[in-house]
Amino acid sequence: LVKKYLPIKLERTPRDVRPLLMFLALNNGDSDMVEQLHRASFEPVEGDDPNWMYASYLATQGREAEALALANALSAGSDNLAPRMEAMKTYLLAKAGRTAEARVRLKTEIDDLIVRAFDGLAYATMGDWTNAEPRLMEQVKSRNWAFLYVSEYAVRVLDAHLRQLGRTEDLRTIALYAAASQPGNKLYAKYSFASNPGVAQFAGEVKMPCVAVDDLISFQSISTSGKK
């Protein structure tokens, strides 16, 4: 809505508003705006936080080497951000094949939804789905609204894994919560109730559970879950 009704020209946008624009762009899949904001300047009080956010964005875009290089060049993030970005670095180390370092870092657990998302991604990268799946599955129903893009990436990795295993019911749970929690958000537009692409599989009769009133009530809890 902000982008639609308030066209943004970064050169005329106050620098103290740009962090908010960064969060909006990241969590709505607006990659063009993320890149523009990364090239823009922020208030000095923000320190390296905008760069950390951009590094975490790169980590969700298959650009892990770039993300790790950037993260290694940054000063510590703010108190709220630092534990999450350290967890991101653990994931990036696992992706870089530095699994021994990643496993040492994973021994320290922090009670935070986004930390668990990155920890789950690290475990998944190392093929440890016993530890990865519960951490990634948590992202399906819980939300930290400032880091939807991280949770969505965790769910994306989980979705691909479940499709390989043929776990259709779990795939449909992912699609259901994506549709209920994030209608219209293109980050979550990729999830499907179908186990495979195409419409041929729906020929004939298909039985699927529908959403009942008590299910709709339960969705209200999504907005209050995972606020760490």
Side-chain angles (χ1 to χ4, degrees), residues 36-161:
Q36 289 181 52
L37 285 161
H38 176 60
R39 294 190 295 269
S41 58
F42 291 80
E43 291 289 353
V45 70
E46 297 293 336
D48 267 336
D49 280 9
N51 289 322
W52 279 112
M53 298 299 293
Y54 183 69
S56 65
Y57 162 77
L58 294 177
T60 67
Q61 299 297 308
R63 299 164 65 182
E64 295 89 354
E66 292 177 65
L68 184 57
L70 176 57
N72 285 336
L74 300 177
S75 59
S78 59
D79 290 345
N80 286 334
L81 194 60
R84 294 160 179 169
M85 297 301 98
E86 286 301 312
M88 176 195 70
K89 286 183 68 175
T90 301
Y91 163 60
L92 295 174
L93 288 170
K95 289 293 286 188
R98 297 161 62 179
T99 57
E101 294 174 69
R103 290 189 184 280
V104 169
R105 293 166 66 95
L106 285 166
K107 291 179 180 179
T108 301
E109 296 190 9
I110 296 176
D111 185 16
D112 179 87
L113 180 70
I114 302 307
V115 169
R116 287 192 291 275
F118 280 124
D119 285 354
L121 288 165
Y123 280 120
T125 297
M126 296 185 292
D128 182 354
W129 282 96
T130 299
N131 282 303
E133 185 168 322
R135 290 168 172 81
L136 300 183
M137 191 67 78
E138 183 183 11
Q139 312 300 315
V140 173
K141 298 182 181 180
S142 298
R143 300 283 183 266
N144 179 313
W145 298 97
F147 291 90
L148 285 177
Y149 65 103
V150 176
S151 288
E152 187 282 322
Y153 180 61
V155 172
R156 199 188 323 161
V157 170
L158 176 64
D159 183 80
H161 176 67

Side-chain angles (χ1 to χ4, degrees), residues 152 178 182 184-192:
E152 187 282 322
Q182 296 296 311
N185 188 338
K186 65 181 181 180
L187 276 180
Y188 284 84
K190 59 182 68 67
Y191 298 101
S192 171

